[in-house]
Amino acid sequence: MATEETSNPPPPQPSPAALPLPQYPEMIIAAIEALNDKNGSNKSAIARYIESTYTDLPAAHSTLLSHHLNKLKQSGQLVLLKNNYMKPDPNAPPKRGRGRPPKPKAQLPPGAAMSPPRPRGRPPKPRDPFAPPPLPKAKSPSSGTGRPRGRPPKKAKTATASAPSAAPAGGAPRGRGRPPKVKPAVAPVGC
């Protein structure tokens, strides 16, 4: 039995070009600063700079670049002017949002408490301060007419009450619906 020594070679050191890629926002800002154009840099110039500087870019590089350029523009880290991206001027006034600006809130003096917000709904009618307090009303089921609320219940059929409507002169009870049309008797023709 021979014992062979298998020495594991040390892991190869990554070359500077094979280091992991920085985040896209960092690459974009670095590209704009390196290109240093006074009118800003367009998307294709930024893409060319990133492709020439960094290797091993993902297959969806152009899609990722567009996405991150839009995100940087929305967050205010980049400004888009005539299709060119540039860093915002630090002396420029901040960009105002859409719509009407909110009213400035009045400053309260120190020590003053803020009143609670107004409740929802219609405010109650003002009360007369000199009027006596109203007496508690007794709960009554009716509103004063003496009749209960709602539809009255159906009356049970009785023989005396339903005789005129239930049985016509013939004595047979009437069926539901419209009665059939009565046809006149026809006399034979040619007698």
Side-chain angles (χ1 to χ4, degrees):
M1 287 209 108
T3 59
E4 281 185 40
E5 286 189 29
T6 56
S7 64
N8 291 334
Q13 296 294 326
S15 64
L19 288 175
L21 287 174
Q23 298 292 319
Y24 261 87
E26 296 169 14
M27 290 194 287
I28 292 169
I29 299 291
I32 290 174
E33 289 172 350
L35 293 169
N36 200 17
D37 190 0
K38 67 174 185 153
N39 295 328
S41 305
N42 61 10
K43 183 175 155 185
S44 60
I46 295 169
R48 277 196 308 267
Y49 178 82
I50 291 175
E51 288 167 358
S52 66
T53 307
Y54 302 101
T55 57
D56 300 330
L57 290 172
H61 166 66
S62 61
T63 307
L64 287 168
L65 180 66
S66 299
H67 171 74
H68 286 283
L69 281 170
N70 281 334
K71 274 180 66 174
L72 290 170
K73 182 180 72 169
Q74 295 290 332
S75 68
Q77 292 177 319
L78 290 181
V79 176
L80 179 66
L81 186 64
K82 295 183 181 175
N83 253 359
N84 289 338
Y85 292 93
M86 62 180 83
K87 292 179 83 174
D89 184 17
N91 299 330
K95 186 180 175 187
R96 207 170 64 82
R98 293 176 52 191
R100 183 176 181 162
K103 290 183 179 178
K105 297 197 176 190
Q107 296 293 329
L108 293 176
M114 196 170 87
S115 63
R118 208 172 71 192
R120 293 178 57 190
R122 185 179 181 141
K125 290 183 179 178
R127 293 186 184 158
D128 185 11
F130 301 112
L135 297 173
K137 292 182 181 178
K139 298 270 183 178
S140 63
S142 65
S143 60
T145 59
R147 290 179 9 176
R149 292 177 53 191
R151 185 182 178 123
K154 268 189 168 176
K155 303 264 186 202
K157 290 188 178 181
T158 60
T160 58
S162 62
S165 64
R174 202 166 42 188
R176 292 174 48 133
R178 184 178 183 140
K181 189 174 182 181
V182 179
K183 296 181 180 173
V186 178
V189 180
C191 292

